[in-house]
Amino acid sequence: MTKRKSIYICQKCGYKTPKWAGKCPECGSWGSLVEEIEAKNVRIGWIKPSTTSPLSLEEIGEEKAERILSGISEFDRVLGGGIVKGSVSLLSGEPGIGKSTFLLQLANRFSDCGKVLYVTAEESPEQVALRAKRLEVKSSNIYVLAENNLEEISKQIEKVKPIFVVFDSIQTLFLPYIESAAGSVSQVRESAAFITYLSKSEKITSFIVGHVTKEGTIAGPKVLEHIVDAVFQFEGDKGYNFRVFKSLKNRFGSTGELAVFEMTEKGLREILNPSEFFLSERPIGKPGSVIFAGIEGSRPLLLEVQALVTRAVFSTPQRRAKGIDANRLSIIVAVIEKELGYPLRNFDIFVNVVGGVKISEPAVDLPIAAAIISSYLERPVKENFVLFGEIGLTGEVRRVKLEELREKEAKKNGFEVASNISTISQIPDFLC
Ligand code: TYD
Ligand code: MG
């Protein structure tokens, strides 16, 4: 007999409590505790009793991870040199960003090496087939299964024996022995663990689709990220055609790696020189536009940072930031006011990183400051200069990591680095 009791689980962090509360005591989010039935002593059939004994480090031979190349070179690079056989990856992103499209394209690539199973728990097989037609994917090696029950799916996997499986999406799959609804923390976590076990035991390479919440985090608990081998995310503004593919976690490669894709009529196409692509529509000779030489993972990337400084409409000036941290913007504005004496408190300031790329490294401080000053003074930044540098609270410009790599990327694209800026009061020297 299984004993069942009701328990409240935070849908954000997975915190459990027997009593409901408005605020999660663990992560502090409001209204996230949801009642779920916790089944005790459930027989989790896929956990085999351990028969192995520990080995000393010396006894353990070197196992080289076997990788399969997809042929999409930017994707293979982000993964750390192709996809590792038997690995489980999570691909997250907002609805409509292109996850299903990309995975169908990937399935097409892998269908050359063996059978591929596309589990669609969200869309009908007809919808998948329609997308495949649009992408010109027509391999007899790709099988589509419309099913939500993971136990049924595992039976089909045993029958079909695929080498690559796509699970679209984790929020719509369920395990029948878990009583809570599909998409709940318990279901998401257990389903991911089930898929991981299945992949490791059957030596299947899997990709799981995961939706993100409004706040941009992967729906479901953090533990989901711990279960899988790698977590990738598609980012981008739906208003633009390009999508940034990022690695957030990778047991077989480095994190923070980035690739850029363009959404075309026939699916996603990789962009081999993202710097050139991002700068292609840049306004030349306009105040408020600055080129930033950034680093994403190990890749240098030139991006345009724009600022608009206009007279404030209301007594409290607006500060809006897209692609950068809003707190960072406030600090930079305060430093400019103090060091250069501009009355920015009377101005609204909007900053945007063109292309929907989110930048977290402090090297973007200097380009932000330069874009703001350029817009405020209505003087464009001198042609062909890129900037990078962290700004301290006293207005000093600090060195950042991998400066040579940034310089190389700038040169490759016909730009020069605006070096010798040691304090922000020197920024006006770089304006026309
Ligand atoms: P989709 O892969 O369904 O997104 P997700 O699975 O992340 O929810 O992609 C949906 C969008 O992509 C949709 O707005 C149409 C667009 N799209 C193209 O522009 N070109 C294509 O070849 C395909 C298949 C989709
Ligand atoms: Mg989809």
Side-chain angles (χ1 to χ4, degrees):
M1 256 306 271
T2 57
K3 189 178 155 206
R4 293 184 169 84
K5 66 171 187 179
S6 181
I7 194 159
Y8 295 88
I9 304 183
C10 173
Q11 302 293 305
K12 291 236 172 94
C13 68
Y15 177 79
K16 288 181 190 172
T17 167
K19 270 194 186 161
W20 187 83
K23 186 182 177 186
C24 170
E26 184 78 17
C27 67
S29 50
W30 288 91
S32 62
L33 290 167
V34 171
E35 185 179 11
E36 291 187 18
I37 307 289
E38 193 183 54
K40 279 242 168 106
N41 308 328
V42 279
R43 197 187 65 82
I44 304 176
W46 40 270
I47 294 185
K48 280 186 194 156
S50 171
T51 50
T52 49
S53 47
L55 297 170
S56 83
L57 262 181
E58 278 175 8
E59 284 176 85
I60 306 169
E62 217 179 288
E63 190 193 20
K64 246 190 136 0
E66 210 181 321
R67 291 179 186 261
I68 325 169
L69 289 174
S70 70
I72 307 169
S73 60
E74 283 291 277
F75 169 79
D76 289 336
R77 187 182 57 77
V78 170
L79 264 71
I83 198 162
V84 171
K85 257 191 189 170
S87 66
V88 181
S89 309
L90 178 71
L91 177 61
S92 68
E94 284 174 33
I97 198 110
K99 300 180 293 295
S100 305
T101 304
F102 184 70
L103 289 177
L104 197 56
Q105 287 180 279
L106 207 58
N108 189 35
R109 300 285 182 141
F110 289 125
S111 68
D112 291 340
C113 316
K115 285 184 188 165
V116 170
L117 185 66
Y118 194 105
V119 178
T120 168
E122 258 176 34
E123 295 171 307
S124 67
E126 289 75 22
Q127 280 170 303
V128 177
L130 204 69
R131 186 180 289 123
K133 201 170 163 193
R134 190 170 170 183
L135 300 173
E136 290 174 5
V137 169
K138 43 172 183 265
S139 166
S140 56
N141 254 351
I142 303 177
Y143 293 79
V144 178
L145 174 66
E147 179 60 68
N148 300 67
N149 184 341
L150 267 170
E151 286 193 334
E152 292 301 320
I153 295 167
S154 76
K155 281 182 203 155
Q156 295 304 321
I157 287 177
E158 270 170 36
K159 238 194 248 167
V160 177
K161 298 209 182 314
I163 56 154
F164 183 69
V165 184
V166 175
F167 295 90
D168 191 357
S169 68
I170 188 80
Q171 278 86 11
T172 46
L173 294 171
F174 73 94
L175 279 164
Y177 56 77
I178 301 207
E179 294 214 354
S180 48
S184 65
V185 172
S186 313
Q187 280 289 3
V188 166
R189 187 181 48 209
E190 294 306 317
S191 299
F194 185 90
I195 293 171
T196 306
Y197 177 78
L198 202 66
S199 303
K200 303 283 171 196
S201 59
E202 304 282 322
K203 296 235 176 328
I204 299 166
T205 310
S206 313
F207 250 94
I208 305 173
V209 173
H211 292 294
V212 293
T213 60
K214 268 192 252 112
E215 294 85 38
T217 51
I218 300 162
K222 264 276 183 234
V223 285
L224 178 57
E225 294 177 34
H226 300 313
I227 295 168
V228 295
D229 293 316
V231 181
F232 304 102
Q233 184 151 11
F234 258 128
E235 283 174 6
D237 224 308
K238 272 186 234 150
Y240 297 105
N241 273 344
F242 43 90
R243 306 278 180 259
V244 175
F245 181 81
K246 252 188 188 169
S247 70
L248 305 181
K249 166 191 168 169
N250 193 353
R251 282 190 186 142
F252 309 109
S254 50
T255 50
E257 288 293 344
L258 172 151
V260 184
F261 289 87
E262 187 184 13
M263 185 57 107
T264 67
E265 285 291 293
K266 287 188 180 126
L268 288 149
R269 188 177 62 85
E270 61 180 327
I271 290 172
L272 295 169
N273 186 355
S275 296
E276 188 189 347
F277 183 80
F278 281 126
L279 298 181
S280 60
E281 287 175 351
R282 159 182 82 95
I284 295 177
K286 284 264 186 176
S289 163
V290 171
I291 297 166
F292 164 54
I295 298 279
E296 290 288 335
S298 61
R299 165 191 273 291
L301 190 63
L302 302 186
L303 291 165
E304 186 195 349
V305 176
Q306 291 188 340
L308 178 65
V309 180
T310 57
R311 207 154 257 292
V313 186
F314 304 108
S315 53
T316 318
Q318 293 192 66
R319 303 282 181 254
R320 293 277 158 83
K322 215 169 146 217
I324 56 152
D325 179 25
N327 294 331
R328 203 68 213 156
L329 173 63
S330 303
I331 295 171
I332 295 167
V333 171
V335 174
I336 297 173
E337 275 214 64
K338 183 93 177 166
E339 290 302 305
L340 290 148
Y342 302 152
L344 294 178
R345 73 196 80 91
N346 301 326
F347 290 83
D348 289 337
I349 299 175
F350 307 95
V351 174
N352 181 28
V353 179
V354 179
V357 183
K358 293 188 185 81
I359 301 170
S360 51
E361 59 163 346
V364 74
D365 289 357
L366 185 61
I368 294 171
I372 293 171
I373 295 170
S374 160
S375 178
Y376 173 76
L377 296 176
E378 292 181 5
R379 286 165 58 194
V381 174
K382 278 182 192 160
E383 199 42 46
N384 287 339
F385 273 113
V386 301
L387 286 95
F388 54 81
E390 182 182 355
I391 294 176
L393 292 185
T394 61
E396 82 277 16
V397 176
R398 291 161 183 261
R399 296 190 65 121
V400 290
K401 63 172 187 182
L402 302 170
E403 295 197 343
E404 300 77 39
L405 207 60
R406 296 174 203 260
E407 202 169 335
K408 232 169 109 185
E409 181 72 5
K411 287 232 167 81
K412 193 177 115 189
N413 287 280
F415 292 96
E416 223 177 288
V417 175
S419 44
N420 309 327
I421 304 183
S422 54
T423 123
I424 62 160
S425 50
Q426 291 167 335
I427 290 176
D429 301 343
F430 278 87
L431 304 180
C432 294

